[in-house]
Protein backbone atom coordinates (compact mmCIF):
# COMPACT_ATOMS: atom_id res chain seq x y z
CA UNK A 1 0.00 0.00 0.00
CA UNK A 2 0.86 3.65 -0.25
CA UNK A 3 0.61 6.33 2.41
CA UNK A 4 -2.77 7.99 2.55
CA UNK A 5 -4.32 10.86 4.42
CA UNK A 6 -4.46 10.46 8.19
CA UNK A 7 -3.27 7.62 10.38
CA UNK A 8 -2.58 4.10 9.18
CA UNK A 9 -3.51 0.88 10.95
CA UNK A 10 -0.50 0.79 13.27
CA UNK A 11 -0.66 4.46 14.28
CA UNK A 12 -4.25 4.31 15.50
CA UNK A 13 -3.71 2.01 18.52
CA UNK A 14 -0.87 4.26 19.70
CA UNK A 15 -3.07 7.36 19.42
CA UNK A 16 -5.86 5.65 21.36
CA UNK A 17 -3.53 4.39 24.10
CA UNK A 18 -1.84 7.77 24.46
CA UNK A 19 -4.94 9.96 24.50
CA UNK A 20 -8.06 8.01 25.56
CA UNK A 21 -9.07 6.78 29.02
CA UNK A 22 -12.61 5.63 28.23
CA UNK A 23 -14.53 3.93 25.46
CA UNK A 24 -16.43 7.16 24.73
CA UNK A 25 -13.16 9.07 24.28
CA UNK A 26 -11.88 6.34 21.96
CA UNK A 27 -15.06 6.46 19.84
CA UNK A 28 -14.74 10.23 19.44
CA UNK A 29 -11.05 9.90 18.57
CA UNK A 30 -11.72 7.27 15.91
CA UNK A 31 -14.58 9.25 14.38
CA UNK A 32 -12.62 12.52 14.30
CA UNK A 33 -9.36 11.24 12.80
CA UNK A 34 -8.91 10.29 9.19
CA UNK A 35 -7.57 6.77 8.70
CA UNK A 36 -6.20 4.65 5.92
CA UNK A 37 -4.56 1.26 5.77
CA UNK A 38 -1.22 0.38 4.28
CA UNK A 39 -1.81 -3.36 4.04
CA UNK A 40 -5.35 -4.37 4.95
CA UNK A 41 -8.35 -3.20 6.85
CA UNK A 42 -8.28 -4.13 10.50
CA UNK A 43 -10.60 -4.12 13.41
CA UNK A 44 -9.89 -3.11 16.97
CA UNK A 45 -11.42 -4.36 20.20
CA UNK A 46 -11.36 -1.41 22.58
CA UNK A 47 -12.30 -1.63 26.26
CA UNK A 48 -11.98 0.49 29.36
CA UNK A 49 -11.73 -0.21 33.06
CA UNK A 50 -15.44 0.54 33.54
CA UNK A 51 -16.61 -2.58 31.69
CA UNK A 52 -17.42 -0.80 28.42
CA UNK A 53 -16.17 -2.08 25.10
CA UNK A 54 -16.68 -1.89 21.37
CA UNK A 55 -15.24 -3.24 18.16
CA UNK A 56 -14.22 -0.66 15.56
CA UNK A 57 -14.17 -1.78 11.94
CA UNK A 58 -13.89 -0.17 8.55
CA UNK A 59 -15.19 -1.72 5.38
CA UNK A 60 -12.70 -3.22 2.91
CA UNK A 61 -13.32 -0.28 0.56
CA UNK A 62 -12.94 2.06 3.56
CA UNK A 63 -16.25 3.69 2.73
CA UNK A 64 -17.92 2.64 5.98
CA UNK A 65 -16.99 2.79 9.66
CA UNK A 66 -18.68 0.55 12.21
CA UNK A 67 -18.93 0.65 15.99
CA UNK A 68 -20.19 -2.60 17.51
CA UNK A 69 -20.95 -2.01 21.19
CA UNK A 70 -20.16 -4.72 23.74
CA UNK A 71 -23.17 -4.00 25.96
CA UNK A 72 -21.28 -5.35 29.01
CA UNK A 73 -20.83 -8.77 27.40
CA UNK A 74 -17.67 -10.47 26.10
CA UNK A 75 -16.74 -9.57 22.54
CA UNK A 76 -14.96 -11.89 20.14
CA UNK A 77 -12.76 -10.81 17.24
CA UNK A 78 -11.10 -13.26 14.87
CA UNK A 79 -10.25 -12.85 11.18
CA UNK A 80 -13.45 -11.57 9.62
CA UNK A 81 -15.39 -8.35 9.78
CA UNK A 82 -18.18 -8.61 12.33
CA UNK A 83 -20.32 -5.85 10.82
CA UNK A 84 -21.30 -8.26 8.06
CA UNK A 85 -22.94 -10.61 10.60
CA UNK A 86 -25.29 -8.78 13.01
CA UNK A 87 -25.79 -11.86 15.23
CA UNK A 88 -23.85 -15.04 15.94
CA UNK A 89 -26.56 -17.04 14.14
CA UNK A 90 -25.73 -15.08 10.94
CA UNK A 91 -22.14 -16.35 10.94
CA UNK A 92 -21.57 -19.11 8.37
CA UNK A 93 -21.68 -22.53 9.98
CA UNK A 94 -19.18 -25.01 8.70
CA UNK A 95 -17.31 -28.14 9.40
CA UNK A 96 -15.92 -27.90 12.95
CA UNK A 97 -13.11 -30.26 11.96
CA UNK A 98 -11.31 -27.30 10.34
CA UNK A 99 -10.45 -25.41 13.51
CA UNK A 100 -8.47 -22.84 11.49
CA UNK A 101 -11.43 -21.64 9.43
CA UNK A 102 -12.10 -18.09 10.62
CA UNK A 103 -15.75 -18.75 11.44
CA UNK A 104 -14.95 -21.97 13.32
CA UNK A 105 -12.44 -20.06 15.41
CA UNK A 106 -15.08 -17.47 16.33
CA UNK A 107 -17.71 -20.09 17.11
CA UNK A 108 -15.24 -22.09 19.22
CA UNK A 109 -14.56 -19.02 21.38
CA UNK A 110 -18.28 -18.25 21.58
CA UNK A 111 -19.07 -21.79 22.78
CA UNK A 112 -16.31 -21.61 25.37
CA UNK A 113 -17.63 -18.30 26.73
CA UNK A 114 -21.20 -19.57 26.79
CA UNK A 115 -20.14 -22.71 28.66
CA UNK A 116 -18.49 -20.91 31.57
CA UNK A 117 -20.01 -18.38 33.94
CA UNK A 118 -18.23 -15.06 34.43
CA UNK A 119 -15.95 -13.86 35.84
CA UNK A 120 -13.46 -15.65 33.61
CA UNK A 121 -10.19 -16.76 35.17
CA UNK A 122 -6.84 -16.18 33.48
CA UNK A 123 -6.53 -19.94 33.00
CA UNK A 124 -9.91 -20.02 31.23
CA UNK A 125 -8.91 -17.12 28.95
CA UNK A 126 -5.58 -18.74 28.08
CA UNK A 127 -7.13 -22.17 27.41
CA UNK A 128 -10.05 -20.84 25.35
CA UNK A 129 -7.76 -18.77 23.16
CA UNK A 130 -5.16 -21.52 22.79
CA UNK A 131 -7.87 -23.61 21.08
CA UNK A 132 -7.86 -21.18 18.17
CA UNK A 133 -4.16 -20.32 17.83
CA UNK A 134 -2.70 -20.83 14.37
CA UNK A 135 0.03 -23.29 15.22
CA UNK A 136 0.45 -25.50 12.20
CA UNK A 137 2.01 -25.47 8.77
CA UNK A 138 -0.84 -25.43 6.30
CA UNK A 139 0.01 -27.81 3.46
CA UNK A 140 -2.09 -25.66 1.10
CA UNK A 141 0.01 -22.58 1.83
CA UNK A 142 3.61 -21.80 0.92
CA UNK A 143 4.08 -19.78 4.12
CA UNK A 144 3.63 -20.85 7.72
CA UNK A 145 0.68 -19.38 9.57
CA UNK A 146 1.22 -18.67 13.22
CA UNK A 147 -0.35 -16.84 16.09
CA UNK A 148 2.71 -14.75 16.87
CA UNK A 149 1.56 -13.57 20.28
CA UNK A 150 -1.40 -13.70 22.63
CA UNK A 151 -2.08 -10.75 24.91
CA UNK A 152 -4.26 -10.53 28.00
CA UNK A 153 -4.91 -6.98 29.15
CA UNK A 154 -5.96 -6.29 32.74
CA UNK A 155 -7.53 -2.86 32.66
CA UNK A 156 -7.94 -2.68 36.45
CA UNK A 157 -4.32 -3.60 37.14
CA UNK A 158 -3.12 -1.68 34.07
CA UNK A 159 -0.99 -4.61 33.06
CA UNK A 160 -0.42 -6.90 30.12
CA UNK A 161 0.37 -10.58 29.96
CA UNK A 162 1.79 -11.76 26.68
CA UNK A 163 3.02 -15.09 25.29
CA UNK A 164 5.13 -15.26 22.13
CA UNK A 165 5.62 -17.82 19.38
CA UNK A 166 9.26 -18.97 19.64
CA UNK A 167 9.88 -21.71 17.07
CA UNK A 168 8.69 -24.99 15.58
CA UNK A 169 9.86 -28.37 16.79
CA UNK A 170 9.00 -31.98 15.95
CA UNK A 171 5.65 -32.99 17.44
CA UNK A 172 6.17 -36.14 19.55
CA UNK A 173 2.44 -36.95 19.38
CA UNK A 174 2.35 -36.74 15.56
CA UNK A 175 5.55 -38.11 13.98
CA UNK A 176 6.58 -36.26 10.84
CA UNK A 177 4.71 -33.09 11.89
CA UNK A 178 5.81 -29.98 13.75
CA UNK A 179 4.23 -28.02 16.55
CA UNK A 180 4.63 -24.44 17.65
CA UNK A 181 6.56 -23.71 20.81
CA UNK A 182 5.41 -20.68 22.77
CA UNK A 183 6.90 -18.74 25.64
CA UNK A 184 5.17 -18.61 28.97
CA UNK A 185 3.19 -15.46 29.72
CA UNK A 186 5.33 -12.45 30.59
CA UNK A 187 3.82 -9.82 32.87
CA UNK A 188 4.30 -6.20 31.84
CA UNK A 189 3.14 -3.27 33.94
Amino acid sequence: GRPGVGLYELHMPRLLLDTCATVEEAKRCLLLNKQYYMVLSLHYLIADRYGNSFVWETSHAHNGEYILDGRNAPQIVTNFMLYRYPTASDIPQGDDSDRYWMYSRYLSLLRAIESAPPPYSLDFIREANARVFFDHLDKRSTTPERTLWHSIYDVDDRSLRVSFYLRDEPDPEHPGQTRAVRSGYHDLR
Side-chain angles (χ1 to χ4, degrees):
R2 295 185 300 193
V5 174
L7 301 167
Y8 80 103
E9 64 265 28
L10 298 180
H11 284 151
M12 189 52 66
R14 181 62 192 247
L15 175 65
L16 295 172
L17 288 168
D18 286 348
T19 64
C20 302
T22 67
V23 157
E24 291 309 315
E25 289 175 5
K27 287 178 184 178
R28 275 194 300 279
C29 184
L30 286 163
L31 291 168
L32 291 173
N33 284 282
K34 289 245 178 239
Q35 301 163 53
Y36 70 96
Y37 35 86
M38 292 282 289
V39 180
L40 64 139
S41 60
L42 298 176
H43 44 210
Y44 304 102
L45 173 58
I46 300 166
D48 64 25
R49 63 183 357 196
Y50 308 106
N52 305 306
S53 68
F54 71 98
V55 173
W56 169 265
E57 296 180 332
T58 56
S59 65
H60 291 290
H62 212 289
N63 60 353
E65 298 168 331
Y66 302 90
I67 293 175
L68 304 139
D69 280 302
R71 296 179 179 84
N72 293 318
Q75 289 190 278
I76 301 167
V77 177
T78 58
N79 297 80
F80 64 91
M81 295 300 186
L82 295 170
Y83 75 86
R84 293 180 172 176
Y85 307 100
T87 67
S89 62
D90 295 322
I91 294 171
Q93 305 293 310
D95 180 4
D96 277 350
S97 67
D98 185 358
R99 71 173 239 178
Y100 298 107
W101 189 46
M102 63 186 155
Y103 304 115
S104 295
R105 295 174 68 233
Y106 180 97
L107 295 169
S108 175
L109 289 170
L110 179 63
R111 284 191 292 275
I113 289 168
E114 290 174 343
S115 72
Y120 305 106
S121 70
L122 286 175
D123 286 339
F124 171 81
I125 294 168
R126 284 191 281 259
E127 290 167 14
N129 281 279
R131 288 187 223 169
V132 298
F133 285 171
F134 273 88
D135 60 3
H136 75 303
L137 292 172
D138 187 341
K139 293 174 183 28
R140 297 168 291 184
S141 175
T142 58
T143 59
E145 297 173 336
R146 294 285 183 259
T147 297
L148 297 177
W149 68 86
H150 179 243
S151 305
I152 302 173
Y153 295 90
D154 185 329
V155 294
D156 290 323
D157 189 38
R158 294 185 179 194
S159 65
L160 163 72
R161 290 188 171 127
V162 61
S163 169
F164 297 98
Y165 164 76
L166 299 174
R167 67 184 174 280
D168 289 332
E169 67 180 24
D171 187 343
E173 295 179 19
H174 302 96
Q177 295 183 20
T178 61
R179 67 175 180 170
V181 177
R182 306 184 62 75
S183 72
Y185 281 84
H186 300 279
D187 292 337
L188 305 172
R189 296 183 185 282

